[in-house]
C-alpha cells in the first residue's frame, strides 16, 4: 500500500501522523510512504530522517493526497484537504464529527473510508487511540489554567498553589475519566484544592482510592455543579460521551454566579465543548471572555507539546496502521471489531451511530457495509 503523511495545517499544529521509526516499520513490510516536505520539522525530524527510514519526500501536500491509498494524519482534515479526498482512499486520523456538520457532509460526499482514532475501542471497553491525547490534555489543563488565572491574562490574579498564609486556588474538574484524572493529578501536584465531579459511583470510588483525601469527589447533579462552579477559581471540563457531542454542564446563567476573572478550560471542545459558552479557539488566540469569565477552548491542546504528543500517539496508532496497510481496510476491519468501531464514514454512508444522530443522517452499521 502507498501511505501518505501530509504536514498538518491547523493553527500551531506541529504533530505529525507518523514518526520516522513508524515509517521504517511500514517500509520494511514493503509499503511505500510519501511524506510532505517539512511534515516532521515541528518536532525535530528533518526530511533526511524520513528518507533514511525509506520514505519518499514530496514537495507539496497535493501530491500526497493525489497518490496515497491511505492518508495518516493527526487532526481532522480542513476544507482544502477534504476537497482532495477521493473515494478509493482511507483516511486515518482524529475526526470528531458529532459537532462538525460541514466536515461530516464533505467526508460523506468524498466516498472515502474515514476511520476516527477517537472511536476505536479496546477489549476492555476503553478508547486506546484517544487515551494518550486525553492524558496530555488533562495534564496541560491545570498548567494553562494557572497561566490564565494570572492578572495579566485577564484572570483573578490567583496562584494555583497559594503560599503560606494564603489559601490555594479552588479547582473543579468535571468528569473523572482519563483526562479528568490526569487534570486532577497535576492540579493536586501544583497544590490546589481539587474537586472532581462524575456521574459514575465506580469512578468516584476509584478516584478516592487513588488520591485519598487530596481530592474531594462529588456525584454529578445540576445542583452540585451550580454550587461548585460558583466557588471555583478554575473549572476544567473533561466530559466525554464516545463519538457524541459533549453535554453542556455549565450554562450561561451559571457564569453570573462565578468569581470575576475565574477561568474555564474546556478539554471537551473537540466534541463541541461542555460549557454552553464555549467556542473553539486556537493557540494563536487561545482565550476569550464571557461575563467576566476567561474561557480557554483550544481545539488541539496536545499540539502545544507536539513532540511528546506525537510519540504517545504513534505508540498506539502504529499497530492499526500496519494492519490497515497489510490487509487493506475492509479485511482489517472485518478481522478486528475494535478497529471496526473506528469507521465513521465509508462509501458515502455514516457508520457511527452518534454521528448520524447528531446530524439527522441515516446510519448504516459497519458490519452490513463490509458484508
Amino acid at each position: 500500500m502507498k501511505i501518505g503523511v501530509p504536514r498538518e495545517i491547523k493553527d500551531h499544529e506541529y504533530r505529525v501522523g507518523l514518526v520516522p521509526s513508524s515509517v521504517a516499520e511500514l517500509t520494511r513490510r514493503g509499503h511505500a510512504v510519501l511524506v510532505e516536505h517539512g511534515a516532521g520539522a515541528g518536532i525535530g525530524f528533518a526530511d533526511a530522517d524520513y528518507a533514511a527510514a525509506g520514505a519518499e519526500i514530496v514537495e507539496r501536500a497535493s501530491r500526497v493526497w493525489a497518490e496515497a491509498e491511505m492518508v495518516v494524519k493527526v487532526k481532522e482534515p480542513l476544507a482544502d484537504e477534504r476537497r482532495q479526498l477521493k473515494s478509493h482512499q482511507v483516511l486515518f486520523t482524529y475526526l470528531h464529527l458529532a459537532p462538525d456538520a460541514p466536515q461530516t457532509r464533505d467526508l460523506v460526499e468524498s466516498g472515502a473510508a474515514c476511520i476516527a482514532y477517537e472511536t476505536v475501542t479496546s477489549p476492555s471497553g476503553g478508547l486506546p487511540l484517544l487515551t494518550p491525547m486525553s492524558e496530555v490534555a488533562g495534564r496541560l489543563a491545570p498548567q494553562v489554567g494557572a497561566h490564565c488565572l494570572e492578572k495579566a491574562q485577564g484572570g483573578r490574579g490567583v496562584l494555583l498553589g497559594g503560599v503560606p498564609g494564603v489559601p490555594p486556588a479552588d479547582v473543579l474538574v468535571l468528569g473523572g475519566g482519563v483526562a479528568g484524572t490526569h487534570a486532577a493529578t497535576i492540579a493536586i501536584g501544583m497544590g490546589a484544592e481539587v474537586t472532581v465531579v462524575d456521574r459514575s459511583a465506580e469512578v468516584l470510588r476509584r478516584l478516592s482510592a487513588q488520591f485519598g483525601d487530596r481530592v474531594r469527589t462529588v456525584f454529578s447533579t445540576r445542583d452540585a455543579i451550580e454550587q461548585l462552579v460558583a466557588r471555583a477559581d478554575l473549572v476544567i471540563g473533561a466530559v466525554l460521551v464516545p463519538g457524541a457531542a459533549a453535554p453542556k454542564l455549565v450554562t450561561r446563567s451559571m457564569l453570573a454566579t462565578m468569581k470575576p476573572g475565574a477561568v474555564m478550560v474546556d478539554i471537551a471542545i473537540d466534541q463541541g465543548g461542555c460549557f454552553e459558552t464555549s467556542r473553539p479557539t486556537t493557540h494563536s488566540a487561545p482565550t476569550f471572555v464571557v461575563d467576566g469569565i476567561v474561557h480557554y477552548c483550544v481545539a488541539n491542546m496536545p499540539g502545544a507539546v507536539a513532540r511528546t504528543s506525537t510519540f504517545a500517539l504513534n505508540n498506539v496508532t502504529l499497530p492499526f496502521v500496519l494492519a490497515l496497510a497489510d490487509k487493506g481496510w475492509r479485511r482489517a476491519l472485518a478481522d478486528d471489531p475494535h478497529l471496526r468501531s473506528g469507521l465513521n464514514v465509508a462509501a458515502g454512508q455514516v457508520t457511527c451511530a452518534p454521528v448520524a444522530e447528531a446530524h439527522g443522517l441515516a446510519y448504516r452499521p459497519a458490519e452490513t457495509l463490509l458484508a
Side-chain angles (χ1 to χ4, degrees):
M1 181 181 283
K2 184 175 286 188
I3 297 103
V5 183
R7 179 175 56 83
E8 297 292 325
I9 60 174
K10 197 177 183 75
D11 181 77
H12 283 282
E13 182 54 76
Y14 305 107
R15 289 174 290 179
V16 62
L18 296 174
V19 296
S21 60
S22 297
V23 170
E25 289 292 316
L26 286 160
T27 58
R28 287 190 193 106
R29 293 175 183 234
H31 303 295
V33 182
L34 299 178
V35 176
E36 183 185 356
H37 164 65
I43 60 169
F45 286 119
D47 291 346
D49 297 318
Y50 283 100
E56 178 184 354
I57 308 302
V58 299
E59 285 298 319
R60 299 183 182 278
S62 57
R63 186 175 164 199
V64 174
W65 290 99
E67 296 185 19
E69 296 167 84
M70 176 167 64
V71 176
V72 179
K73 282 176 45 60
V74 177
K75 289 303 294 177
E76 72 282 352
L78 301 186
D80 183 61
E81 296 173 309
R82 299 196 296 266
R83 283 190 287 269
Q84 300 178 73
L85 195 59
K86 300 170 185 64
S87 60
H88 69 275
Q89 291 177 315
V90 178
L91 175 64
F92 195 31
T93 189
Y94 288 115
L95 293 176
H96 301 290
L97 293 179
D100 193 341
Q103 185 192 178
T104 303
R105 180 192 64 240
D106 289 350
L107 296 186
V108 168
E109 290 178 356
S110 76
C114 304
I115 304 170
Y117 293 158
E118 72 272 12
T119 59
V120 173
T121 58
S122 70
S124 64
L127 301 171
L129 307 193
L130 184 62
T131 293
M133 296 304 96
S134 296
E135 292 169 342
V136 171
R139 287 174 173 262
L140 276 174
Q143 179 177 312
V144 299
H147 179 63
C148 292
L149 275 170
E150 295 173 11
K151 192 64 179 178
Q153 307 305 318
R156 299 191 66 227
V158 171
L159 182 64
L160 213 63
V163 293
V166 181
D170 191 305
V171 176
L172 172 63
V173 180
L174 302 177
V178 174
T181 299
H182 282 263
T185 299
I186 300 304
I188 290 167
M190 296 175 78
E193 291 286 340
V194 180
T195 302
V196 182
V197 172
D198 201 279
R199 291 190 65 86
S200 167
E202 181 180 346
V203 167
L204 297 178
R205 290 190 190 98
R206 174 180 57 78
L207 291 167
S208 182
Q210 180 174 347
F211 296 116
D213 59 6
R214 295 178 296 166
V215 66
R216 292 169 292 183
T217 57
V218 177
F219 186 80
S220 180
T221 65
R222 170 69 178 261
D223 287 345
I225 291 173
E226 285 181 345
Q227 294 175 28
L228 293 167
V229 162
R231 77 185 202 189
D233 297 293
L234 170 61
V235 180
I236 296 172
V239 178
L240 173 69
V241 179
K248 308 299 184 187
L249 298 186
V250 177
T251 64
R252 175 72 180 262
S253 62
M254 291 182 193
L255 269 59
T257 71
M258 296 179 69
K259 304 169 184 175
V263 173
M264 302 204 300
V265 175
D266 199 341
I267 297 175
I269 192 64
D270 275 334
Q271 292 294 132
C274 59
F275 308 142
E276 186 178 12
T277 45
S278 290
R279 56 176 171 80
T281 61
T282 66
H283 288 293
S284 294
T287 63
F288 60 92
V289 178
V290 178
D291 297 343
I293 307 303
V294 179
H295 293 57
Y296 179 99
C297 304
V298 174
N300 58 327
M301 283 180 67
V305 286
R307 188 174 175 90
T308 296
S309 298
T310 297
F311 277 102
L313 185 58
N314 268 238
N315 289 344
V316 293
T317 57
L318 180 59
F320 295 102
V321 172
L322 293 173
L324 289 164
D326 289 346
K327 300 178 179 181
W329 73 273
R330 286 183 173 274
R331 183 182 160 199
L333 268 60
D335 288 351
D336 185 348
H338 303 295
L339 180 57
R340 188 162 65 240
S341 296
L343 188 67
N344 278 212
V345 173
Q349 299 178 72
V350 178
T351 56
C352 178
V355 172
E357 182 179 355
H359 302 302
L361 299 171
Y363 163 62
R364 183 173 182 185
E367 292 81 0
T368 64
L369 184 143
L370 292 171

